[in-house]
């Protein structure tokens, strides 16, 4: 993620302090975390990193939290992590969030990935997370506009991932 920067709600670049690792999957979008690692790498590490897990991989076909092997693997990830977070895609069913509140409220970070610029469900996601009582950090990554940042802050987003090009056009960072 060298070509991305994480900005907090004040516009300060916090990329150098970010310690989150995204669990590598076939669907890992660019910009979720600056470092990714495989499940095997996580299990072999001596230290426990902060790990982001894709919410979609924890759900069954009906959108409920999966049981059995998936649940056991998730618990193993939690045991080998310092802090745990989730990344979700904005095209996930917003109504499903309330049913998953017990899981969501335990997360330290939730990254909302916006796959398409025209998709405004990231606003609903952030607002729903705050309405169910989520107190952790909410971060938005992907195809959102800089002009949306003020509105995203109003619904509870704490940080943003901007690519190098978007950041340079406004702030001329070298």
């Amino acid at each position: 993620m060298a070509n991305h920067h994480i900005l907090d709600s004040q516009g300060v670049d916090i990329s150098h302090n970010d310690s989150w690792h995204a669990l590598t999957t076939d669907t890992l979008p660019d910009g979720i975390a600056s470092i990714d690692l495989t499940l095997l790498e996580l299990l072999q590490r001596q230290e426990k990193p902060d790990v982001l897990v894709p919410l979609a991989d924890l759900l069954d076909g009906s959108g409920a939290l999966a049981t059995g092997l998936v649940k056991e693997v998730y618990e193993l990830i939690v045991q080998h992590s310092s802090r745990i977070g989730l990344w979700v895609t904005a095209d996930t069913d917003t109504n499903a969030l309330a049913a998953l509140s017990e899981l969501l409220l335990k997360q330290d970070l939730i990254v909302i990935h916006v796959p398409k610029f025209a998709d405004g469900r990231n606003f609903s996601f952030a607002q729903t997370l705050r309405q169910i009582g989520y107190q952790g950090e909410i971060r938005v990554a992907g195809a959102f506009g800089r002009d949306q940042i003020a509105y995203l802050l109003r619904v509870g987003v704490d940080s943003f991932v901007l690519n190098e090009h978007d950041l340079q056009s406004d702030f001329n960072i070298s």
Side-chain angles (χ1 to χ4, degrees), residues 14-48:
I14 58 171
S15 304
H16 58 283
N17 294 332
D18 192 66
S19 61
W20 289 95
H21 296 68
L23 196 63
T24 304
T25 66
D26 291 340
T27 58
L28 179 64
D30 186 37
I32 294 295
S34 55
I35 307 165
D36 62 319
L37 77 163
T38 66
L39 180 58
L40 185 58
E41 290 171 332
L42 173 64
L43 298 177
Q44 292 176 344
R45 286 180 171 233
Q46 295 297 322
E47 77 281 356
K48 293 181 173 186

Side-chain angles (χ1 to χ4, degrees), residues 93-107:
D93 182 10
T94 307
N95 296 329
L97 290 182
L100 299 170
S101 61
E102 185 178 327
L103 171 71
L104 297 172
L105 293 175
K106 294 178 185 176
Q107 308 307 308

Side-chain angles (χ1 to χ4, degrees), residues 110-172:
I110 297 178
V111 178
I112 302 169
H113 179 258
V114 183
K116 299 176 198 159
F117 180 77
D119 191 343
R121 287 179 275 191
N122 51 339
F123 294 97
S124 298
F125 250 48
Q127 187 171 31
T128 300
L129 286 168
R130 294 300 183 206
Q131 287 173 345
I132 64 172
Y134 180 70
Q135 302 265 326
E137 180 181 349
I138 299 174
R139 181 176 295 171
V140 173
F144 67 95
R146 291 180 315 235
D147 59 335
Q148 297 174 329
I149 289 176
Y151 300 107
L152 288 164
L153 287 167
R154 286 187 201 159
V155 295
V157 174
D158 301 295
S159 59
F160 307 88
V161 179
L162 293 175
N163 68 37
E164 186 78 27
H165 177 267
D166 286 340
L167 195 61
Q168 284 184 352
S169 65
D170 278 347
F171 301 104
N172 202 13

